[in-house]
Amino acid sequence: MDRPALTSRLHGFGTTIFAEMSALAARTGAINLGQGFPDTDGPEEIREAVVAALRAGVNQYPPGPGIPELRRAIAGHQRRFHGIELDPDGEVLVTTGATEAIAAALLALCEPGDEVVTFEPYYDSYAACIALAGATRRVVTLRPPGLTIDPEQLAAAFSDRTRLVLLNSPHNPTGKVFDRAELELIAAHCRERDVLAVTDEVYEHLVFDGRTHVPLSTLPGMAERTLSISSAGKTFSFTGWKIGWATGPRELVAATQTVKQYLTYVGGAPFQPAIAQALGLPDGYFADFRAGMEAKRDRLCAGLRAAGLTVFEPAGTYFVTADIRPLGFDDGHAFCLQLPERAGVVAVPTQVFYDDKDAGRPLVRFAFCKRDEVIDEAASRLANLTA
Ligand code: PMP
Ligand code: GLN
């Protein structure tokens, strides 16, 4: 066969950097600060709720939009934390992780030739799903140290072909939390151009230093044009369960559901009631979770600084980005490939999330959603790099 097996739309996408780096960690036995997953499980009572559901026979296809109990819990969560009112029947869709919600939304909402405005560095599945939808990405670059939006670059990213803005806040990989003024700026373009917004808010509960997460949909004129996506993986430290959701206007949710039903149809039957229970945990759970992760942020940032890297302290998420140039390296990809051997640590090169490779070349992402002793061991190994 002359023709490559993989569709040209995904030419150049290969294996995800997360899979590549986790395989490297497994192969070398290095500490994995690459892929973002916690090394301890979430609440025991929620794990037990899955066991109980399995034993009670919750093992067949759940309803297409998700079980009513979970849809009500998602609506309740949006009201409790963000003051957003949703009808669980029609404005809430349960998906197989945020990943499926993002894919289904982009495939549902875009026509070939449409443009999607997003920010780089961008989460890898955005580029792939935009490409699968036959759309084109128009990126706005967030540059350290400030990671602020360049208003001119933002304005220039919009055109008559813009269909939607795809916004991730809190932002992976940088840990940036878009502030209200930046959100206002994005919202103004959306309203002016009459374009949609799709938001990825999977780190909504990981916002540090007293900041608050502001959903784009809560800004004036945005509720009617925003599909908001989140997931249970990060918030409850069960990244392998893959229960996510999309919420917003009926028409956007219905369009997303139409695609979703042909991707997975449904998923995660015994996890759905457990996540419904998790979403109802008291405020203290969410506050403790955030405080615990903030302490880990501080711990790893201090360790990376002590190791000589330039650290861009994240305002949220699981991740910290560092510049490796003070260590005498300038290419993050080469650095990350050597790191297991040189220091017994795995990290993720940020340049793979940029179209402007030069902007990301010296940047490396480290995950701090790990036990304290693991963070400390990784930091002391990194300190030996220059020794
Ligand atoms: N969006 C971002 C920004 C992420 O970091 C991740 C990784 N967890 C996802 C989406 C995917 O979420 P899920 O695991 O729920 O599919
Ligand atoms: N979201 C996780 C990260 O950014 C990884 C998820 C994945 O492997 N697709 O590291």
Side-chain angles (χ1 to χ4, degrees), residues 281-351:
L281 286 170
D283 290 353
Y285 166 76
F286 298 88
D288 290 350
F289 171 62
R290 170 196 314 233
M293 205 63 76
E294 185 174 319
K296 291 182 186 300
R297 186 266 321 250
D298 293 343
R299 201 174 188 100
L300 183 58
C301 286
L304 295 178
R305 277 191 202 101
L309 292 106
T310 301
V311 170
F312 305 108
E313 189 167 288
T317 75
Y318 273 174
F319 308 111
V320 50
T321 293
D323 190 322
I324 57 174
R325 282 175 294 190
L327 300 185
F329 298 87
D330 57 12
D331 185 297
H333 206 174
F335 176 82
C336 286
L337 289 176
Q338 296 168 16
L339 201 55
E341 202 173 308
R342 297 176 86 122
V345 173
V346 161
V348 167
T350 305
Q351 64 186 264

Side-chain angles (χ1 to χ4, degrees), residues 12 32 46-47 64 108 111 160 211 220 223 227 242-243 246 288 290 313 321 326 354:
N32 190 355
I46 305 304
R47 268 203 321 192
E111 293 291 350
D160 293 345
R211 291 181 182 84
L227 186 77
K242 301 294 284 188
I243 300 294
D288 290 350
R290 170 196 314 233
E313 189 167 288
T321 293
Y354 285 86

Side-chain angles (χ1 to χ4, degrees), residues 187-221:
H189 284 289
C190 291
R191 289 187 304 255
E192 221 162 89
R193 296 261 185 185
D194 194 23
V195 309
L196 304 173
V198 174
T199 61
D200 175 348
E201 306 178 36
V202 301
Y203 299 100
E204 62 187 304
H205 287 287
L206 288 174
V207 175
F208 309 138
D209 310 314
R211 291 181 182 84
T212 42
H213 167 64
V214 180
L216 187 65
S217 71
T218 60
L219 270 59

